[in-house]
């Protein structure tokens, strides 16, 4: 997509393997019709599990690394919104 395109999602993931921690930062652009996006986290260790913490709600869940490699469903109810997830390898 072109950098001026506002009709989709922009998702960044940063993995710090030496710390066993990662972040996923996602933006639903202002003209984006899709409320969900699947982020495939190829850095996830398929033999590990990860605790995922939503930075806004502090909600936590545990997800197998193999599932994260296939895709982590991200959901934002309205355009022009964002989310930050913190992942910790267990």
């Amino acid at each position: 997509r072109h950098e001026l395109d506002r009709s989709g999602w922009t998702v960044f993931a940063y993995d710090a393997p030496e710390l066993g921690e990662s972040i996923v930062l996602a933006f639903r652009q202002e003209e984006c019709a899709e409320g969900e996006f699947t982020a495939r986290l190829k850095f996830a260790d398929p033999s590990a599990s990860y605790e995922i913490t939503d930075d806004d709600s502090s909600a936590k869940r545990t997800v197998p690394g193999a599932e994260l490699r296939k895709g982590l469903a991200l959901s934002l109810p309205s355009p022009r919104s964002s989310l930050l997830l913190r992942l910790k390898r267990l």
Side-chain angles (χ1 to χ4, degrees), residues 17-65:
E18 68 281 3
L19 299 175
E21 297 179 357
S22 312
I23 62 166
V24 174
L25 179 59
F27 299 92
R28 181 176 171 190
Q29 300 293 335
E30 54 262 25
E31 297 171 13
C32 181
E34 298 86 28
E36 293 187 3
F37 180 85
T38 300
R40 289 171 182 78
L41 305 180
K42 297 296 184 184
F43 59 79
D45 179 349
S47 65
S49 289
Y50 291 80
E51 180 181 72
I52 301 175
T53 304
D54 181 309
D55 209 53
D56 290 323
S57 69
S58 298
K60 294 183 180 190
R61 60 188 165 131
T62 301
V63 179

